[in-house]
Amino acid sequence: MKIAIALVLLAACGDDGGSTTADGGTDSGGSSFTTCTGTCTTTGVTATFGANTKTLDEAYYGITASTQTVYLEVLAGGNGTCPTTSSPSEDYTLVLSTVAVPTDITAQSPMSAAFDFKGDLLPNGAIHAFGTSATLTPTNANMPAAATGFIAADVSVAFGGDGTMTGHLYAIHCASFDTTN
C-alpha cells in the first residue's frame, strides 16, 4: 500500500559551494558538487502541523528510468534500511516526485505529499496531505543512478495553512525504489 501510494509521486537533490542557507541547509564539507561529508550526510527535516512537530531522519530514493526522474522518501520510524514492498509502514513520510536527476544546485519544484501512518501529526487524523508548494534545492549529488549514489538537498514544503516540512536531507539510492516507467 505504502509503495503504491508513493508511486503516485517522484523527486531529487545537489552543492551549495559550502555555504549554510537560512532554510536549514548544511555545509557540503567539500568543494565539489559530488562531495558530501560531515553534516551534509545527515537528514533532519522538521514537520510542523499546528502544535505537532516531528523530525524525519532517514531518506532514500530511486530512479524512474523512462523519465530520468527521482522518487524520494524522507521518513521517521524506519529501520535504517531501504524500504521494500514488504517493509512495515514508517511513522511519517514525506514523498517528493517529478524531479530531474540533480546535476547542479538548480532549485526544483517537485510534487509532494506527507503521510502520517501513526495518526498524530496531520490535522484531523488525516493519513495524507498534498503539498501546495515545494522547493528542493540540491546541495550535493554523486552518481545518483549507481548503487553507491547519493543525493543531498535542502527542502521546503508548505501544506496550505496546515503546516510545513523543512530541512536538509541526505538520501541513499535504493534499488527497491527504481522503476522502468
Side-chain angles (χ1 to χ4, degrees):
M1 171 80 171
K2 171 182 62 137
I3 296 298
I5 292 171
L7 288 177
V8 175
L9 305 170
L10 296 169
C13 317
D15 173 62
D16 65 353
S19 67
T20 299
T21 60
D23 65 356
T26 56
D27 193 321
S28 69
S31 60
S32 166
F33 182 73
T34 60
T35 303
C36 183
T37 59
T39 56
C40 175
T41 63
T42 62
T43 296
V45 174
T46 302
T48 304
F49 289 84
N52 301 321
T53 300
K54 307 294 180 188
T55 300
L56 287 65
D57 58 2
E58 295 178 40
Y60 305 97
Y61 74 90
I63 304 288
T64 302
S66 64
T67 59
Q68 285 299 292
T69 56
V70 176
Y71 167 84
L72 185 102
E73 287 189 9
V74 186
L75 55 97
N79 64 9
T81 61
C82 290
T84 66
T85 55
S86 59
S87 299
S89 293
E90 300 81 17
D91 295 341
Y92 316 101
T93 304
L94 170 62
V95 174
L96 301 166
S97 64
T98 64
V99 175
V101 173
T103 58
D104 60 30
I105 61 171
T106 302
Q108 301 185 42
S109 299
M111 293 177 57
S112 57
F115 294 89
D116 177 1
F117 297 109
K118 198 166 181 183
D120 63 354
L121 176 63
L122 298 177
N124 304 315
I127 191 169
H128 76 280
F130 292 105
T132 54
S133 68
T135 302
L136 182 77
T137 306
T139 59
N140 306 78
N142 192 21
M143 301 183 318
T148 58
F150 72 85
I151 296 171
D154 295 329
V155 62
S156 179
V157 181
F159 296 86
D162 292 331
T164 61
M165 289 183 156
T166 60
H168 180 79
L169 63 91
Y170 176 82
I172 60 171
H173 181 235
C174 287
S176 60
F177 284 2
D178 289 345
T179 62
T180 56
N181 294 326

